[in-house]
Amino acid sequence: QQQVKQSPQSLIVQKGGIPIINCAYENTAFDYFPWYQQFPGKGPALLIAIRPDVSEKKEGRFTISFNKSAKQFSLHIMDSQPGDSATYFCAAQDEGAQKLVFGQGTRLTINP
Amino acid sequence: DSGVTQTPKHLITATGQRVTLRCSPRSGDLSVYWYQQSLDQGLQFLIQYYNGEERAKGNILERFSAQQFPDLHSELNLSSLELGDSALYFCASSVGFQASYEQYFGPGTRLTVT
């Protein structure tokens, strides 16, 4: 019930392409869904987050799509650049539990 | 730079030993979170402190303990170390105690148990 399943594990996209990373959850009590970006040797950093009352949120080239009925959410990166190469983690939070549950991560490579 | 500092950066120790990892949160942040990142388990929440009090507990082993001091820095103590404890340990801080407040992660401590 506490799991967040993330796919794919790794993804290679050409520069300018639109990588899509998907996450699914079971716990209907989850009410906050952030995405984190992690570069090698660094800690994760918050990229963008969404709550289930909206179906889409866009910040710059990054978009979260949220499907409450399917209990799925995804990250799209528009006009991807080699500098976007990193590991991306989705997460979910149950406000009552006050802790984040992370997906397994997706290693994204953008080829020039 | 997130403003969260962690020491040491790397730690190599033997099985059965005890180590202490240290974290200083961003100025003004009252919450400190500890996470373990390993290849097979991903990023796992261990424990959270808010203004000196334990606030939430995750998958933290009984051999592990943590505390937050009056100056808000935190220490994670790992004892009776096993090979499987080798991982990256991250500290994060946030201004509030709910996980929906943005968490700022430190650079991590890489622990290797031999």
Side-chain angles (χ1 to χ4, degrees):
Chain A
Q1 266 257 318
Q2 288 296 314
Q3 278 189 321
V4 176
K5 294 184 181 175
Q6 183 172 347
S7 63
Q9 271 190 308
S10 64
L11 185 56
I12 299 174
V13 171
Q14 290 298 118
K15 178 185 170 185
I18 305 176
I20 300 173
I21 304 170
N22 300 298
C23 286
Y25 63 97
E26 290 293 326
N27 188 347
T28 54
F30 286 150
D31 58 3
Y32 173 70
F33 302 88
W35 284 88
Y36 281 80
Q37 180 189 55
Q38 185 179 25
F39 292 105
K42 304 283 187 187
L46 180 66
L47 193 61
I48 185 172
I50 197 168
R51 291 200 180 266
D53 52 349
V54 297
S55 59
E56 186 176 280
K57 183 174 181 180
K58 186 180 286 191
E59 283 185 10
R61 295 183 294 108
F62 299 91
T63 299
I64 300 179
S65 297
F66 188 84
N67 186 330
K68 189 173 179 178
S69 59
K71 290 183 281 188
Q72 295 174 348
F73 57 110
S74 58
L75 177 70
H76 299 60
I77 305 176
M78 310 302 286
D79 187 28
S80 58
Q81 302 296 314
D84 296 328
S85 297
T87 299
Y88 292 81
F89 292 92
C90 64
Q93 183 231 334
D94 171 358
E95 197 77 25
Q98 294 175 18
K99 63 179 183 180
L100 286 172
V101 178
F102 283 84
Q104 287 294 93
T106 296
R107 182 171 290 186
L108 174 65
T109 302
I110 308 296
N111 285 332
Chain B
D1 183 1
S2 67
V4 178
T5 59
Q6 289 187 249
T7 56
K9 203 174 172 80
H10 301 278
L11 200 47
I12 301 174
T13 189
T15 54
Q17 295 299 303
R18 173 190 167 92
V19 297
T20 297
L21 313 183
R22 185 188 165 104
C23 168
S24 292
R26 287 188 329 148
S27 176
D29 284 357
L30 299 177
S31 260
V32 168
Y33 303 79
W34 286 97
Y35 292 88
Q36 180 191 58
Q37 185 176 39
S38 58
L39 282 174
D40 57 343
Q41 293 289 320
L43 202 59
Q44 298 278 321
F45 167 73
L46 295 177
I47 196 164
Q48 179 206 3
Y49 280 82
Y50 176 77
N51 204 19
E53 301 284 327
E54 183 186 302
R55 190 77 196 185
K57 220 164 183 175
N59 303 320
I60 188 164
L61 300 171
E62 281 192 19
R63 300 182 286 108
F64 295 2
S65 65
Q67 55 184 325
Q68 186 179 28
F69 294 87
D71 66 353
L72 300 176
H73 91 271
S74 178
E75 293 181 355
L76 179 67
N77 300 295
L78 316 176
S79 62
S80 303
L81 285 167
E82 301 175 359
L83 295 176
D85 297 327
S86 296
L88 264 170
Y89 290 84
F90 286 105
C91 162
S93 75
S94 69
V95 62
F97 59 80
Q98 289 172 321
S100 54
Y101 283 96
E102 181 169 353
Q103 295 183 31
Y104 294 85
F105 281 74
T109 293
R110 182 173 292 280
L111 173 66
T112 303
V113 182
T114 61

